[in-house]
Amino acid sequence: MLISSYNPTALGDVLMMLTGQATNAEQDVEIHGDVAKITRQDNQQLVGVNLFNASNYVEHLIGDGQVFLDDQQVAQVNHALEINGASVQIEADHEPKFVVGAVETLVAHPDSDHLHIAQVDLGNEKLQIVCGAPNIGAGQKVVVARVGAMMPDGKLIWPGKLRGVESFGMICSARELGLPNAPQRHGILVLDAASQAGTAFDFNQDYSAQY
């Protein structure tokens, strides 16, 4: 997993990279020159790296939020980590985090009057996702934010539990996806039935006819 963000206007020349979930865990931070290495105290897992003066190390680094590092940029980051003595490396992550899913089954949550438990086919894997949208139904094609996705508002998607039931992603609304002219009402975006499960969601397509 690699979630990267860069916003020089708000945060300065700092490339922030998340490599794991640190929610509710105590963290250790080690500074090595221009690198801050962040690990969980409980298991020593690397969960984040901040690279300061990032534009001195990484070429073509442009953004005001989430950025997607290509292989060359990841190699440049790893070189920066090495010369700063951080003794860690990051791995490129090109797997799409927003994909088309097919809702195979839907059952009521045992401890809620509005939540449902969906089994969603993503083509090469199936996920259990708890969803509270009033318009969700079995057989639909939907947009799934997988674990490791960063939503347009900056929210990160991690595994979790909703009222005791495990959930491994989020089924998204047009508003949550930041689509143009998205309705403000509560409800997921239902895609055309011909959409193929497992394909990356195309944010540039016009979905207004499906709102």
Side-chain angles (χ1 to χ4, degrees):
M1 177 189 300
L2 178 62
I3 307 172
S4 307
S5 61
Y6 183 67
N7 190 336
T9 301
L11 300 173
D13 191 12
V14 183
L15 176 62
M16 296 184 292
M17 295 162 282
L18 293 177
T19 59
Q21 184 178 9
T23 305
N24 300 324
E26 295 292 332
Q27 302 170 27
D28 288 322
V29 180
E30 298 178 14
I31 304 298
H32 302 269
D34 278 338
V35 176
K37 182 174 72 172
I38 306 164
T39 56
R40 291 177 57 136
Q41 288 185 0
D42 56 355
N43 59 12
Q44 300 306 303
Q45 177 191 3
L46 180 72
V47 293
V49 176
N50 292 340
L51 178 61
F52 302 96
N53 301 307
S55 62
N56 292 337
Y57 300 99
V58 183
E59 297 177 346
H60 311 300
L61 190 57
I62 301 172
D64 58 1
Q66 185 174 18
V67 294
F68 300 93
L69 303 179
D70 60 29
D71 290 333
Q72 180 177 357
Q73 290 172 318
V74 169
Q76 291 169 345
V77 168
N78 282 329
H79 180 65
L81 301 181
E82 181 181 358
I83 64 177
N84 279 278
S87 69
V88 293
Q89 296 278 277
I90 64 169
E91 295 183 4
D93 183 358
H94 302 310
E95 188 175 47
K97 296 299 186 289
F98 294 89
V99 298
V100 176
V103 180
E104 291 192 329
T105 63
L106 192 71
V107 298
H109 191 293
D111 190 33
S112 171
D113 60 0
H114 71 283
L115 295 176
H116 290 84
I117 305 168
Q119 303 297 328
V120 186
D121 180 14
L122 300 186
N124 61 351
E125 65 176 327
K126 295 183 181 181
L127 297 180
Q128 176 172 286
I129 300 176
V130 178
C131 180
N135 64 326
I136 189 171
Q140 291 174 339
K141 298 292 179 60
V142 297
V143 184
V144 174
R146 302 174 59 188
V147 169
M150 177 183 285
M151 303 300 295
D153 65 0
K155 175 183 177 182
L156 298 175
I157 303 301
W158 300 114
K161 288 186 178 181
L162 280 78
R163 295 205 176 182
V165 176
E166 292 184 324
S167 185
F168 299 94
M170 185 172 79
I171 300 174
C172 304
S173 69
R175 176 177 54 82
E176 290 165 334
L177 294 166
L179 299 182
N181 303 312
Q184 297 305 301
R185 64 180 182 273
H186 190 44
I188 58 169
L189 174 64
V190 179
L191 301 174
D192 186 278
S195 301
Q196 184 176 351
T199 57
F201 177 69
D202 183 0
F203 280 85
N204 296 317
Q205 185 174 327
D206 182 4
Y207 297 94
S208 57
Q210 298 170 49
Y211 292 168

